[in-house]
Amino acid sequence: MSTIKILLVDDREDNLMSIETILNSSEYQIVKANSGRHALQILLKEQDFSLILMDVKMPGLSGFETASLIYEREKLKKIPIIFITAHSYSDENVYQGYKAGAVDYIYKPIKPNF
C-alpha cells in the first residue's frame, strides 16, 4: 500500500495539530506549513503531494492567493486543494475559491467520524 502525502497549510499551530490528529494514520504522510509562503517553499522542493488542505484566511498570502500561485506551476496543477475555513462565505467568495483551483471546502470546527 502506498502512502498518501498531504500538505496541511494553516497559520495556527493548534489547527495544524487538530487536523494532523484527525488524519493520524499510517496511510498518510503529513507535511505542515504555517503560511502560504511556507507552503510555496515546500512545493518548490516536493511536488508529490496527493492533496493540499489549506486555510483560507492567513496573514500575508491568503489561501486563495496561495492556490493561484501553486496552480501557475505546471507540475503542481494536478494536486487537489481543499480549503478549510471557519467562516461561511457568500456565493461570490466560494466561487473565488473554486476559481483559484479548490475542489471543495471543509468548515471548521472539523468533526471527525470515528
Side-chain angles (χ1 to χ4, degrees), residues 1-97:
M1 178 179 1
S2 63
T3 303
I4 298 168
K5 192 170 176 183
I6 301 172
L7 178 60
L8 301 180
V9 187
D10 199 306
D11 60 304
R12 293 186 47 172
E13 185 62 35
D14 58 333
N15 288 338
L16 289 171
M17 199 168 4
S18 295
I19 297 167
E20 185 177 31
T21 300
I22 291 169
L23 296 174
N24 186 18
S25 167
S26 60
E27 295 176 30
Y28 303 130
Q29 177 187 351
I30 306 296
V31 177
K32 297 184 284 187
N34 59 11
S35 69
R37 291 197 191 287
H38 188 201
L40 294 172
Q41 289 171 346
I42 291 169
L43 289 164
L44 282 174
K45 298 174 193 158
E46 305 173 52
Q47 291 94 34
D48 59 338
F49 289 94
S50 301
L51 176 66
I52 299 172
L53 294 171
M54 184 165 14
D55 187 27
V56 173
K57 288 202 156 249
M58 295 183 288
L61 289 174
S62 72
F64 296 148
E65 293 166 326
T66 303
S68 293
L69 290 169
I70 289 169
Y71 285 148
E72 284 180 7
R73 294 185 52 102
E74 195 62 39
K75 289 182 178 182
L76 304 176
K77 284 185 178 183
K78 293 182 180 171
I79 304 172
I81 296 174
I82 297 176
F83 283 126
I84 301 171
T85 183
H87 306 281
S88 67
Y89 283 114
S90 67
D91 288 344
E92 184 178 317
N93 285 334
V94 170
Y95 173 73
Q96 182 184 357

